[in-house]
Amino acid sequence: MDQAYVQVTTTIDSRQEAAILARSAVEERLAACAQLVGPIASTYWWEGEIESAEEWMVVFKTTIDRFEELARLITERHSYDTPEIMATPVVAGSADYLGWVSDQTDQVEEDVP
């Protein structure tokens, strides 16, 4: 496996926002696929207090080369002040699937007339 792959996760407070974020990343070829999971129940510290919220998780399949641009897109389009952006390395996977991820996130994508 020459290319390094990651799954990037974020959480957001509505399914609609999650779907928009997922579609944006795929349209811009920053992720080959984005999956919505939820709703999920989150409990966390925020501004000195324990909070609980219903959220949606978005899981992006991408290459490490596209991570910084994907993180920038999430940060710019996310409604949270401090959005979760976590990248987990893919240590193994189907060669066909990983090849597809590489093809779909290729920075030079030309439309054929």
Side-chain angles (χ1 to χ4, degrees):
M1 185 163 55
D2 322 4
Q3 178 78 36
Y5 299 90
V6 292
Q7 284 196 146
V8 177
T9 58
T10 193
T11 54
I12 199 160
D13 64 2
S14 80
R15 185 185 192 291
Q16 181 180 8
E17 282 185 84
I20 290 168
L21 196 57
R23 184 167 185 96
S24 296
V26 172
E27 281 179 342
E28 295 188 27
R29 296 202 177 269
L30 301 178
C33 172
Q35 298 171 315
L36 277 56
V37 181
I40 59 172
S42 297
T43 303
Y44 51 91
W45 281 100
W46 183 250
E47 297 181 346
E49 307 228 355
I50 294 179
E51 300 282 338
S52 293
E54 182 175 279
E55 297 181 297
W56 289 82
M57 179 182 288
V58 185
V59 181
F60 303 92
K61 309 320 191 340
T62 193
T63 62
I64 193 66
D65 293 343
R66 300 300 270 168
F67 172 76
E68 290 300 328
E69 289 176 272
L70 176 58
R72 192 173 314 116
L73 177 132
I74 294 168
T75 301
E76 289 170 357
R77 299 187 186 181
H78 207 291
S79 59
Y80 292 0
D81 294 338
T82 308
E84 169 191 347
I85 303 172
M86 303 282 287
T88 304
V90 173
V91 297
S94 153
D96 288 343
Y97 183 81
L98 296 177
W100 174 80
V101 170
S102 291
D103 290 346
Q104 299 313 307
T105 58
D106 188 352
Q107 294 180 32
V108 182
E109 189 66 32
E110 297 181 23
D111 291 328
V112 177

